[in-house]
Amino acid sequence: MSLSLDGLVSGLKTTEVIKAMMDVHAIPRTLLKAKMDDKNVVATQLRTLNSALQNLATLAEKASSPDGLARFTTSSSSTTVTVATRTGAAPLSADIVVDKVAKNHTIVSAASNGWPVDPPVITLENSKGERRQIEVDGTSMQQVAQAINDAGFGVVATAVPAGRDANGNPQQRLQLRAADPGEACQFRAYRGDIAAVTAGSATDLATETGAAVIAVGSDAQLRLWAGTSAEQVLTSTSNTFTDLFEGVDVTVSAVSADPVTIGVTIDTAARTKASGEFIAAIKDILTRIDNGSKSTVPAAPGGKTTLGVFTGDSTVRALRTAIADAVQHPVDGVSPSSIGISTDMYGVLSFDEEKFAEALAKDPNAVTGLFSDVAARVQDTAKIYSDKYDGMLTSRITGQEDEVKGLGEQMERWDVRLAQRKSSLERTYAQLEVMLSKLQSQSSYLSSQIASLSGSSSGSSK
């Protein structure tokens, strides 16, 4: 703890004097702080640029795939049939007839006040002949349903209110429904254990008076080219026919007596939009680099020139050149400008949607191939610079962060030295005030002694 005697004796503004001296001593530390702030700004901008580059690499990877520009419009002449496209889809038109839709096997038991046998035992049998015996702790329909659900045999049970009996007691039914649709998911439910089922003495729930089979588990079925010699029958355990045509899924929800026409067509507008968005992402990075590399020169002589955050950064400059080359260089002698991707004399990237759409309409395969190759080059460039382990831009960021860390350590050492220097100055000036106070006291004492001696001499002479 330092003692401050701010000018009590000397009249000096000690605190201000010490502050002024400390400001001079702190100049190296201030310069370090300014340098660290500048490098922090650069590191932040580099990280932002790297994130944008990584996103571009992801977009480029998708765009460079064979289906990178695949955009289709689907159609169906019936609301009961829907069409969806996936990887590998191609334009098509076809007629289908839906003969059956897939159903979940469902049975409902007769109404009762509870399970008639205590303790309840129920046996489920699937279409393969496999059986599962379920014993229930309780006779209520809710307890039976819960036990069936807990068994995990592919059957979902629900207790359903069924009014009251002649005596006014509430009744319930047990609904049993296959968890999945399809013929293979048909099942039976018996009152009794496996031994009783094997012996033929167990009661089939669906055959009891008042019970019913609500739906028989069945596969969906449709026909292609119905009524011709090429007619083909297809089935599905669900109502979705996956890859009915390559990359095309068809989902049905009702039987159709008449053929339903389904179609897949190329969506040129969507393809053009997707291509434009990819080029816009590239342009955004190039613009970011250009703006960060600009230097502002003062109009008046003697003014301060402001450098851009990327000015003089060879890594960023090389990145800009590499991306521009990847986009604008020809592919097998064909220039990307032929499909609307071009760069002007100032290096500004642009995308002509109309020209791209026209080229796509004339030769979609050629346009798709050229665009895919350009995207692949962009992807390779982006990965070289943004790879999280050995990317060139990543290494540049790491180097910048190391410099910031080193400057921070230097500042910490300066903080210690400055604190020590301040304490030393405070002690020195405090001691000065004390010494001046002592000297002032001694001076007052001597003055009083001299004055008393002078008074004694004057009295003796009389």
Short mmCIF file of all heavy atoms in Angstrom, two decimals, residues 386-428:
data_model
loop_
_atom_site.label_atom_id
_atom_site.label_comp_id
_atom_site.label_asym_id
_atom_site.label_seq_id
_atom_site.Cartn_x
_atom_site.Cartn_y
_atom_site.Cartn_z
N SER A 386 -9.09 -23.52 -46.77
CA SER A 386 -9.88 -23.48 -45.54
C SER A 386 -9.85 -24.77 -44.73
O SER A 386 -10.53 -24.87 -43.70
CB SER A 386 -11.35 -23.15 -45.87
OG SER A 386 -11.95 -24.21 -46.60
N ASP A 387 -9.10 -25.78 -45.19
CA ASP A 387 -9.04 -27.03 -44.43
C ASP A 387 -8.67 -26.74 -42.97
O ASP A 387 -7.75 -25.97 -42.69
CB ASP A 387 -8.00 -27.97 -45.04
CG ASP A 387 -7.99 -29.33 -44.34
OD1 ASP A 387 -8.80 -30.18 -44.71
OD2 ASP A 387 -7.16 -29.50 -43.42
N LYS A 388 -9.41 -27.34 -42.04
CA LYS A 388 -9.22 -27.00 -40.64
C LYS A 388 -7.89 -27.47 -40.06
O LYS A 388 -7.50 -27.04 -38.96
CB LYS A 388 -10.36 -27.56 -39.79
CG LYS A 388 -10.47 -29.07 -39.78
CD LYS A 388 -11.64 -29.50 -38.92
CE LYS A 388 -11.81 -31.02 -38.89
NZ LYS A 388 -12.95 -31.43 -38.05
N TYR A 389 -7.20 -28.34 -40.78
CA TYR A 389 -5.91 -28.83 -40.28
C TYR A 389 -4.72 -28.15 -40.96
O TYR A 389 -3.82 -27.64 -40.28
CB TYR A 389 -5.81 -30.35 -40.46
CG TYR A 389 -6.84 -31.11 -39.67
CD1 TYR A 389 -7.89 -31.78 -40.32
CD2 TYR A 389 -6.81 -31.12 -38.27
CE1 TYR A 389 -8.85 -32.48 -39.60
CE2 TYR A 389 -7.77 -31.82 -37.55
CZ TYR A 389 -8.79 -32.49 -38.21
OH TYR A 389 -9.75 -33.17 -37.50
N ASP A 390 -4.71 -28.15 -42.27
CA ASP A 390 -3.54 -27.61 -42.96
C ASP A 390 -3.90 -26.62 -44.07
O ASP A 390 -3.14 -26.41 -45.00
CB ASP A 390 -2.68 -28.73 -43.54
CG ASP A 390 -3.49 -29.65 -44.47
OD1 ASP A 390 -4.67 -29.33 -44.74
OD2 ASP A 390 -2.93 -30.66 -44.93
N GLY A 391 -5.08 -26.00 -43.98
CA GLY A 391 -5.47 -25.00 -44.96
C GLY A 391 -4.56 -23.79 -44.91
O GLY A 391 -4.10 -23.39 -43.82
N MET A 392 -4.27 -23.20 -46.05
CA MET A 392 -3.36 -22.07 -46.10
C MET A 392 -3.93 -20.86 -45.34
O MET A 392 -3.20 -20.17 -44.63
CB MET A 392 -3.09 -21.69 -47.55
CG MET A 392 -2.35 -22.79 -48.32
SD MET A 392 -2.23 -22.46 -50.09
CE MET A 392 -1.14 -21.03 -50.07
N LEU A 393 -5.23 -20.63 -45.48
CA LEU A 393 -5.84 -19.53 -44.73
C LEU A 393 -5.93 -19.87 -43.25
O LEU A 393 -5.76 -19.00 -42.39
CB LEU A 393 -7.24 -19.23 -45.30
CG LEU A 393 -7.92 -17.96 -44.78
CD1 LEU A 393 -7.08 -16.73 -45.07
CD2 LEU A 393 -9.31 -17.81 -45.40
N THR A 394 -6.17 -21.13 -42.96
CA THR A 394 -6.21 -21.58 -41.57
C THR A 394 -4.86 -21.34 -40.89
O THR A 394 -4.79 -20.87 -39.76
CB THR A 394 -6.57 -23.07 -41.49
OG1 THR A 394 -7.79 -23.31 -42.18
CG2 THR A 394 -6.71 -23.53 -40.05
N SER A 395 -3.78 -21.66 -41.61
CA SER A 395 -2.43 -21.44 -41.06
C SER A 395 -2.16 -19.95 -40.86
O SER A 395 -1.53 -19.55 -39.88
CB SER A 395 -1.38 -22.03 -42.01
OG SER A 395 -1.56 -23.43 -42.15
N ARG A 396 -2.67 -19.16 -41.79
CA ARG A 396 -2.51 -17.70 -41.65
C ARG A 396 -3.22 -17.21 -40.40
O ARG A 396 -2.69 -16.35 -39.67
CB ARG A 396 -3.08 -17.02 -42.90
CG ARG A 396 -3.06 -15.49 -42.87
CD ARG A 396 -1.68 -14.95 -43.11
NE ARG A 396 -1.70 -13.49 -43.12
CZ ARG A 396 -1.55 -12.74 -42.04
NH1 ARG A 396 -1.36 -13.31 -40.85
NH2 ARG A 396 -1.58 -11.43 -42.14
N ILE A 397 -4.39 -17.71 -40.14
CA ILE A 397 -5.14 -17.32 -38.94
C ILE A 397 -4.40 -17.76 -37.69
O ILE A 397 -4.27 -16.99 -36.72
CB ILE A 397 -6.55 -17.93 -38.97
CG1 ILE A 397 -7.36 -17.32 -40.11
CG2 ILE A 397 -7.27 -17.73 -37.64
CD1 ILE A 397 -8.69 -18.02 -40.37
N THR A 398 -3.89 -18.99 -37.70
CA THR A 398 -3.15 -19.50 -36.55
C THR A 398 -1.93 -18.63 -36.26
O THR A 398 -1.64 -18.30 -35.10
CB THR A 398 -2.70 -20.95 -36.80
OG1 THR A 398 -3.85 -21.76 -37.04
CG2 THR A 398 -1.95 -21.50 -35.60
N GLY A 399 -1.21 -18.25 -37.33
CA GLY A 399 -0.05 -17.38 -37.15
C GLY A 399 -0.44 -16.04 -36.57
O GLY A 399 0.26 -15.50 -35.68
N GLN A 400 -1.55 -15.47 -37.05
CA GLN A 400 -2.01 -14.19 -36.54
C GLN A 400 -2.40 -14.30 -35.06
O GLN A 400 -2.09 -13.42 -34.25
CB GLN A 400 -3.21 -13.72 -37.36
CG GLN A 400 -3.57 -12.25 -37.21
CD GLN A 400 -2.60 -11.33 -37.91
OE1 GLN A 400 -1.75 -11.80 -38.66
NE2 GLN A 400 -2.71 -10.04 -37.67
N GLU A 401 -3.06 -15.37 -34.71
CA GLU A 401 -3.46 -15.58 -33.31
C GLU A 401 -2.25 -15.77 -32.41
O GLU A 401 -2.25 -15.32 -31.26
CB GLU A 401 -4.41 -16.78 -33.22
CG GLU A 401 -5.77 -16.53 -33.86
CD GLU A 401 -6.63 -17.77 -33.91
OE1 GLU A 401 -6.10 -18.88 -33.81
OE2 GLU A 401 -7.86 -17.63 -34.06
N ASP A 402 -1.23 -16.45 -32.92
CA ASP A 402 0.01 -16.61 -32.14
C ASP A 402 0.66 -15.26 -31.89
O ASP A 402 1.19 -15.01 -30.78
CB ASP A 402 0.98 -17.54 -32.87
CG ASP A 402 0.52 -18.99 -32.87
OD1 ASP A 402 -0.36 -19.32 -32.03
OD2 ASP A 402 1.01 -19.78 -33.70
N GLU A 403 0.65 -14.39 -32.89
CA GLU A 403 1.23 -13.06 -32.71
C GLU A 403 0.45 -12.28 -31.66
O GLU A 403 1.05 -11.59 -30.82
CB GLU A 403 1.23 -12.29 -34.04
CG GLU A 403 2.24 -12.80 -35.05
CD GLU A 403 2.33 -11.89 -36.27
OE1 GLU A 403 2.42 -10.66 -36.07
OE2 GLU A 403 2.29 -12.40 -37.40
N VAL A 404 -0.87 -12.37 -31.72
CA VAL A 404 -1.71 -11.67 -30.73
C VAL A 404 -1.41 -12.20 -29.33
O VAL A 404 -1.30 -11.43 -28.37
CB VAL A 404 -3.20 -11.86 -31.07
CG1 VAL A 404 -4.07 -11.35 -29.92
CG2 VAL A 404 -3.55 -11.14 -32.36
N LYS A 405 -1.26 -13.52 -29.22
CA LYS A 405 -0.94 -14.11 -27.92
C LYS A 405 0.41 -13.62 -27.41
O LYS A 405 0.56 -13.28 -26.23
CB LYS A 405 -0.93 -15.63 -28.04
CG LYS A 405 -0.65 -16.35 -26.73
CD LYS A 405 -0.67 -17.86 -26.92
CE LYS A 405 -0.36 -18.58 -25.62
NZ LYS A 405 -0.35 -20.06 -25.79
N GLY A 406 1.42 -13.55 -28.31
CA GLY A 406 2.74 -13.07 -27.92
C GLY A 406 2.70 -11.63 -27.48
O GLY A 406 3.35 -11.25 -26.47
N LEU A 407 1.95 -10.80 -28.19
CA LEU A 407 1.82 -9.39 -27.80
C LEU A 407 1.11 -9.26 -26.45
O LEU A 407 1.46 -8.40 -25.63
CB LEU A 407 1.05 -8.62 -28.87
CG LEU A 407 1.78 -8.41 -30.21
CD1 LEU A 407 0.83 -7.83 -31.25
CD2 LEU A 407 2.99 -7.50 -30.03
N GLY A 408 0.13 -10.11 -26.23
CA GLY A 408 -0.57 -10.08 -24.94
C GLY A 408 0.36 -10.42 -23.79
O GLY A 408 0.30 -9.81 -22.71
N GLU A 409 1.25 -11.40 -24.01
CA GLU A 409 2.22 -11.76 -22.96
C GLU A 409 3.19 -10.61 -22.71
O GLU A 409 3.56 -10.34 -21.56
CB GLU A 409 2.97 -13.02 -23.38
CG GLU A 409 2.08 -14.26 -23.41
CD GLU A 409 2.78 -15.46 -24.01
OE1 GLU A 409 3.88 -15.28 -24.59
OE2 GLU A 409 2.23 -16.59 -23.93
N GLN A 410 3.61 -9.92 -23.78
CA GLN A 410 4.49 -8.77 -23.60
C GLN A 410 3.78 -7.67 -22.80
O GLN A 410 4.39 -7.03 -21.94
CB GLN A 410 4.92 -8.22 -24.96
CG GLN A 410 5.86 -9.12 -25.74
CD GLN A 410 6.29 -8.48 -27.04
OE1 GLN A 410 6.77 -7.35 -27.04
NE2 GLN A 410 6.14 -9.21 -28.14
N MET A 411 2.51 -7.46 -23.10
CA MET A 411 1.75 -6.43 -22.37
C MET A 411 1.62 -6.79 -20.90
O MET A 411 1.67 -5.90 -20.02
CB MET A 411 0.36 -6.28 -23.00
CG MET A 411 0.38 -5.55 -24.34
SD MET A 411 -1.26 -5.43 -25.06
CE MET A 411 -2.14 -4.55 -23.76
N GLU A 412 1.44 -8.06 -20.60
CA GLU A 412 1.35 -8.48 -19.20
C GLU A 412 2.65 -8.17 -18.46
O GLU A 412 2.63 -7.71 -17.30
CB GLU A 412 1.04 -9.98 -19.12
CG GLU A 412 -0.38 -10.32 -19.56
CD GLU A 412 -0.62 -11.82 -19.55
OE1 GLU A 412 0.32 -12.58 -19.23
OE2 GLU A 412 -1.75 -12.23 -19.88
N ARG A 413 3.79 -8.42 -19.12
CA ARG A 413 5.07 -8.10 -18.49
C ARG A 413 5.23 -6.60 -18.31
O ARG A 413 5.76 -6.13 -17.29
CB ARG A 413 6.21 -8.68 -19.33
CG ARG A 413 6.27 -10.21 -19.32
CD ARG A 413 7.58 -10.73 -19.88
NE ARG A 413 7.71 -10.47 -21.31
CZ ARG A 413 7.31 -11.30 -22.25
NH1 ARG A 413 6.72 -12.45 -21.93
NH2 ARG A 413 7.48 -11.01 -23.53
N TRP A 414 4.77 -5.83 -19.30
CA TRP A 414 4.82 -4.38 -19.17
C TRP A 414 3.93 -3.89 -18.03
O TRP A 414 4.27 -2.95 -17.31
CB TRP A 414 4.40 -3.72 -20.48
CG TRP A 414 5.57 -3.35 -21.35
CD1 TRP A 414 6.01 -3.98 -22.46
CD2 TRP A 414 6.46 -2.24 -21.14
NE1 TRP A 414 7.12 -3.37 -22.97
CE2 TRP A 414 7.43 -2.27 -22.17
CE3 TRP A 414 6.56 -1.24 -20.18
CZ2 TRP A 414 8.46 -1.35 -22.28
CZ3 TRP A 414 7.59 -0.31 -20.28
CH2 TRP A 414 8.53 -0.37 -21.32
N ASP A 415 2.76 -4.51 -17.86
CA ASP A 415 1.87 -4.13 -16.76
C ASP A 415 2.57 -4.31 -15.41
O ASP A 415 2.43 -3.47 -14.51
CB ASP A 415 0.59 -4.97 -16.80
CG ASP A 415 -0.32 -4.57 -17.96
OD1 ASP A 415 -0.19 -3.43 -18.45
OD2 ASP A 415 -1.15 -5.41 -18.37
N VAL A 416 3.32 -5.40 -15.27
CA VAL A 416 4.06 -5.64 -14.02
C VAL A 416 5.12 -4.57 -13.83
O VAL A 416 5.26 -3.99 -12.73
CB VAL A 416 4.70 -7.05 -14.04
CG1 VAL A 416 5.59 -7.23 -12.82
CG2 VAL A 416 3.61 -8.12 -14.07
N ARG A 417 5.89 -4.30 -14.90
CA ARG A 417 6.95 -3.29 -14.78
C ARG A 417 6.38 -1.91 -14.48
O ARG A 417 6.93 -1.17 -13.65
CB ARG A 417 7.76 -3.24 -16.08
CG ARG A 417 8.66 -4.45 -16.29
CD ARG A 417 9.74 -4.16 -17.32
NE ARG A 417 9.20 -3.94 -18.65
CZ ARG A 417 9.03 -4.89 -19.55
NH1 ARG A 417 9.35 -6.15 -19.25
NH2 ARG A 417 8.54 -4.61 -20.74
N LEU A 418 5.29 -1.54 -15.14
CA LEU A 418 4.69 -0.22 -14.91
C LEU A 418 4.13 -0.10 -13.50
O LEU A 418 4.23 0.97 -12.88
CB LEU A 418 3.60 0.03 -15.95
CG LEU A 418 4.09 0.24 -17.39
CD1 LEU A 418 2.90 0.30 -18.34
CD2 LEU A 418 4.92 1.53 -17.50
N ALA A 419 3.55 -1.18 -13.00
CA ALA A 419 3.02 -1.15 -11.64
C ALA A 419 4.16 -0.96 -10.63
O ALA A 419 4.04 -0.20 -9.66
CB ALA A 419 2.25 -2.44 -11.34
N GLN A 420 5.27 -1.65 -10.90
CA GLN A 420 6.43 -1.50 -10.02
C GLN A 420 7.00 -0.09 -10.10
O GLN A 420 7.36 0.50 -9.07
CB GLN A 420 7.50 -2.53 -10.40
CG GLN A 420 7.11 -3.97 -10.11
CD GLN A 420 8.09 -4.97 -10.67
OE1 GLN A 420 8.91 -4.65 -11.54
NE2 GLN A 420 8.02 -6.20 -10.18
N ARG A 421 7.07 0.46 -11.33
CA ARG A 421 7.59 1.81 -11.49
C ARG A 421 6.71 2.84 -10.81
O ARG A 421 7.20 3.77 -10.17
CB ARG A 421 7.67 2.13 -12.99
CG ARG A 421 8.22 3.52 -13.31
CD ARG A 421 9.60 3.71 -12.72
NE ARG A 421 10.15 5.02 -13.06
CZ ARG A 421 11.14 5.61 -12.42
NH1 ARG A 421 11.69 5.00 -11.35
NH2 ARG A 421 11.59 6.78 -12.81
N LYS A 422 5.38 2.67 -10.91
CA LYS A 422 4.47 3.60 -10.26
C LYS A 422 4.63 3.56 -8.74
O LYS A 422 4.66 4.60 -8.07
CB LYS A 422 3.03 3.27 -10.65
CG LYS A 422 2.00 4.25 -10.09
CD LYS A 422 0.60 3.89 -10.54
CE LYS A 422 -0.41 4.90 -9.98
NZ LYS A 422 -1.78 4.56 -10.40
N SER A 423 4.74 2.35 -8.21
CA SER A 423 4.93 2.21 -6.76
C SER A 423 6.22 2.89 -6.32
O SER A 423 6.28 3.55 -5.26
CB SER A 423 4.95 0.73 -6.37
OG SER A 423 3.71 0.12 -6.64
N SER A 424 7.26 2.73 -7.13
CA SER A 424 8.56 3.34 -6.80
C SER A 424 8.45 4.86 -6.80
O SER A 424 8.96 5.53 -5.88
CB SER A 424 9.61 2.88 -7.82
OG SER A 424 10.84 3.53 -7.58
N LEU A 425 7.76 5.41 -7.80
CA LEU A 425 7.59 6.87 -7.85
C LEU A 425 6.76 7.38 -6.68
O LEU A 425 7.05 8.43 -6.09
CB LEU A 425 6.93 7.26 -9.18
CG LEU A 425 7.80 7.14 -10.43
CD1 LEU A 425 6.96 7.37 -11.68
CD2 LEU A 425 8.96 8.13 -10.39
N GLU A 426 5.71 6.66 -6.36
CA GLU A 426 4.87 7.08 -5.23
C GLU A 426 5.66 7.07 -3.93
O GLU A 426 5.53 7.98 -3.09
CB GLU A 426 3.64 6.16 -5.13
CG GLU A 426 2.64 6.39 -6.25
CD GLU A 426 1.51 5.39 -6.21
OE1 GLU A 426 1.66 4.33 -5.54
OE2 GLU A 426 0.46 5.63 -6.85
N ARG A 427 6.50 6.04 -3.74
CA ARG A 427 7.33 5.99 -2.53
C ARG A 427 8.33 7.14 -2.51
O ARG A 427 8.56 7.78 -1.48
CB ARG A 427 8.07 4.65 -2.44
CG ARG A 427 7.18 3.48 -2.07
CD ARG A 427 8.01 2.27 -1.65
NE ARG A 427 8.93 1.87 -2.71
CZ ARG A 427 8.61 0.99 -3.65
NH1 ARG A 427 7.40 0.45 -3.67
NH2 ARG A 427 9.51 0.65 -4.57
N THR A 428 8.95 7.40 -3.67
CA THR A 428 9.97 8.46 -3.74
C THR A 428 9.37 9.82 -3.40
O THR A 428 9.93 10.58 -2.60
CB THR A 428 10.58 8.50 -5.16
OG1 THR A 428 11.22 7.26 -5.42
CG2 THR A 428 11.59 9.63 -5.28
#
